[in-house]
Amino acid sequence: MADSFNLLSLVRPNLRDLKPYRSARDDFKEGMLLDANENPYEPFGENETTGLNRYPDPHFSALRDAISSYRNVKPEHIFLGNGSDEAIDLLIRLVCEPGKDALMITPPTYGMYKVSADIHNVTVVEYPLKPDFSLDKSDIIEKSKDVKIIFLCSPNNPTSNSFDSKELKEILDNVNCLVVVDEAYIDFSSKASLTPLLDSYPNLVILQTLSKAFGLAGIRLGMAFGSEEIIQYLMKIKPPYNVNALTQQIALNAFKSVDKVAERISSILESRKKLESELAELPSVLKIHPSDANFLLVQFKDADGTYQKLAKNGIIVRNRSNQLHCEGCLRITVGTEEENSELISTLKSL
Ligand SMILES: *Cc1c(COP(=O)(O)O)cnc(C)c1O
C-alpha cells in the first residue's frame, strides 16, 4: 500500500465532523412506532401486508449481511446505494471540493464518472488507455498527485476487456488518492474480483451492482466495498433512506437464488461465444474485441450506417464510434438466443 495514504486528509473539511441525520429508531429498536409521522395503515391497492407504510431500514442490515456472505466481504466494508451511480456520486462528493479538486478517468470508459464530476464542478483529468485498451500505469501513477480519485473500470465499458490485476495492484501501491475499481461486469469475467485486497489496501474502493449479472437493473442496487472508515463516511453522507424497501426485499430474495443467477451467467457467456463466431463471419464486420463481459465491442466497415439501419429494423445497439480508440465500433449487448439470431439475420440482410 502507498505509505502515506490518509483518508482524513482527502475528505472534504466540511464533512470530517458531519453530524448525520438520526431518527428515534437509532436509539430504540422495538416498540409502538409513533416517532416518524408515518401513516399507521397499510397502503391502498395492495392485498397483503406489505409494511410499505413504514420507512425502510436505513442501515439495510439484512441485505448487507446477505451480500457479506455471498461476496465474502465483511458487513462493515459494505455500502449500498441507489445504483452504483449513487455510490459514484457520493464518493466524489466525499473527497472532491467543488471548483477546486480533480479526479482521473481513463477513456474510453463509462460515462457516469465524468457526468457526476461535472455535476459537482470537479475537474476531470483524462489519461487514455493505450490503443490496445490496456492501462498506461506509469502515467497514471505520476499524475495521481493532482487528483483525489482515480476511476478504473474492469472489465471496462465500452472496451469489454479487464485490466491486469498486477497492474491494478501496482497502481494501488503507488498512489495516495482513492482508487475506485468499477466491477459492474465482474460476474461475467474470467478474472477474479479485487475484494480479497480490501483488507490490505485502505485506498481501494470496489463498485459492484445488481444491474447486470443479477438481471435487476430496475431495482437500482449498487454496492461499494471499501475500508470501514470510508464506508462509515458514505453512510454518514447518504440520504438516510437511499435504498427503498422494495429494493431491499427483492435483492434479499435474489441472494436466495444465486445458483440460478450462476446458470444465467453461464448461458449468457455461451450465447456470447456463439454471437461472436456468427458476427465474425459477416463481411461487414472488421473486428470483434475480446470480451470479458456481457457485451461485444464490434468494429464495422460502416458503423454509423449499420447503427441507423439496425435501428430502422427495430434493433438498438450503442454507437461508440466517436470514442477514443473505438473508431467504427458498435457496442452490442448479448441478448436472448432469439434476439441474437434476429440480430444476425438482420445484419445479413442489410
Ligand atoms: C452498467 C454499469 C454500471 C451500473 O450502474 P448502476 O447504477 O448500478 O445500474 C456501473 N458501472 C459500469 C461501468 C456499468 O457499465
Side-chain angles (χ1 to χ4, degrees):
M1 195 255 320
D3 304 333
S4 42
F5 178 76
N6 177 343
L7 181 63
L8 191 63
S9 71
L10 289 181
V11 168
R12 284 167 60 194
N14 64 309
L15 298 178
R16 288 177 194 167
D17 301 314
L18 181 83
K19 302 253 177 323
Y21 179 80
R22 284 184 67 81
S23 87
R25 290 173 208 177
D26 293 323
D27 303 320
F28 303 101
K29 301 281 174 230
E30 311 259 326
M32 189 195 293
L33 300 175
L34 302 179
D35 61 312
N37 301 346
E38 297 152 334
N39 197 303
Y41 303 110
E42 281 277 324
F44 292 112
E46 303 295 332
N47 298 321
E48 303 158 33
T49 308
T50 63
L52 290 176
N53 54 324
R54 301 292 175 189
Y55 282 100
D57 173 10
H59 313 290
F60 27 72
S61 306
L63 184 53
R64 219 184 194 190
D65 288 345
I67 292 171
S68 168
S69 359
Y70 182 61
R71 293 296 190 195
N72 200 15
V73 173
K74 296 186 199 93
E76 52 287 9
H77 290 236
I78 301 176
F79 171 80
L80 303 181
N82 184 358
S84 325
D85 291 344
E86 186 180 41
I88 293 166
D89 175 275
L90 290 174
L91 284 161
I92 295 175
R93 201 185 290 227
L94 180 63
V95 299
C96 294
E97 198 66 45
K100 177 168 166 264
D101 287 330
L103 58 79
M104 189 193 296
I105 60 172
T106 59
T109 192
Y110 186 45
M112 274 313 289
Y113 315 133
K114 179 168 159 51
V115 172
S116 238
D118 288 347
I119 290 170
H120 290 293
N121 193 19
V122 164
T123 304
V124 176
V125 179
E126 302 193 348
Y127 274 89
L129 300 179
K130 295 182 203 162
D132 67 356
F133 300 150
S134 64
L135 289 168
D136 203 337
K137 67 173 186 290
S138 41
D139 245 7
I140 293 172
I141 291 169
E142 193 187 319
K143 300 296 172 187
S144 69
K145 292 169 200 73
D146 305 332
V147 302
K148 288 283 194 85
I149 312 182
I150 302 173
F151 281 97
L152 301 171
C153 185
S154 183
N156 187 38
N157 175 3
T159 59
S160 75
N161 63 308
S162 298
F163 302 131
D164 186 74
S165 61
K166 271 198 218 113
E167 290 201 318
L168 290 171
K169 264 192 223 168
E170 212 175 315
I171 293 173
L172 283 163
D173 272 321
N174 288 290
V175 305
N176 288 314
C177 61
L178 283 185
V179 178
V180 177
V181 180
D182 187 340
E183 294 187 338
Y185 299 97
I186 193 68
D187 295 306
F188 298 107
S189 172
S190 55
K191 296 224 166 82
S193 166
L194 294 191
T195 47
L197 299 185
L198 284 168
D199 279 329
S200 28
Y201 289 94
N203 55 343
L204 171 63
V205 177
I206 296 169
L207 299 180
Q208 293 185 2
T209 178
L210 294 196
S211 295
K212 307 284 156 63
F214 276 74
L216 286 170
I219 70 169
R220 313 302 303 126
L221 190 85
M223 304 164 246
F225 305 139
S227 73
E228 197 171 339
E229 208 186 353
I230 293 176
I231 299 307
Q232 276 172 3
Y233 274 118
L234 292 175
M235 292 298 279
K236 269 198 201 180
I237 67 170
K238 80 184 179 79
Y241 305 108
N242 65 326
V243 180
N244 73 70
L246 294 171
T247 296
Q248 293 192 37
Q249 275 170 27
I250 291 171
L252 262 176
N253 280 339
F255 282 100
K256 290 180 194 145
S257 327
V258 286
D259 291 347
K260 292 202 184 106
V261 172
E263 277 171 34
R264 273 270 164 81
I265 292 169
S266 319
S267 102
I268 289 174
L269 290 178
E270 264 172 44
S271 303
R272 184 186 79 196
K273 210 165 144 193
K274 184 165 169 227
L275 183 61
E276 212 173 332
S277 63
E278 289 171 345
L279 284 167
E281 285 169 17
L282 302 179
S284 56
V285 168
L286 293 178
K287 178 171 184 175
I288 304 166
H289 290 276
S291 172
D292 205 24
N294 67 333
F295 59 89
L296 294 170
L297 187 71
V298 184
Q299 189 181 34
F300 286 85
K301 280 184 189 152
D302 173 19
D304 292 339
T306 306
Y307 176 69
Q308 292 299 341
K309 286 183 211 154
L310 280 176
K312 278 208 189 91
N313 283 277
I315 299 179
I316 325 284
V317 298
R318 194 89 200 265
N319 191 347
R320 298 282 80 183
S321 53
N322 57 3
Q323 303 271 302
L324 185 73
H325 306 322
C326 298
E327 291 76 17
C329 286
L330 301 181
R331 192 193 71 195
I332 302 175
T333 308
V334 178
T336 62
E337 283 295 304
E338 296 73 32
E339 288 171 332
N340 300 336
S341 331
E342 194 179 327
L343 169 73
I344 294 294
S345 58
T346 306
L347 282 170
K348 280 183 181 157
S349 73
L350 296 184

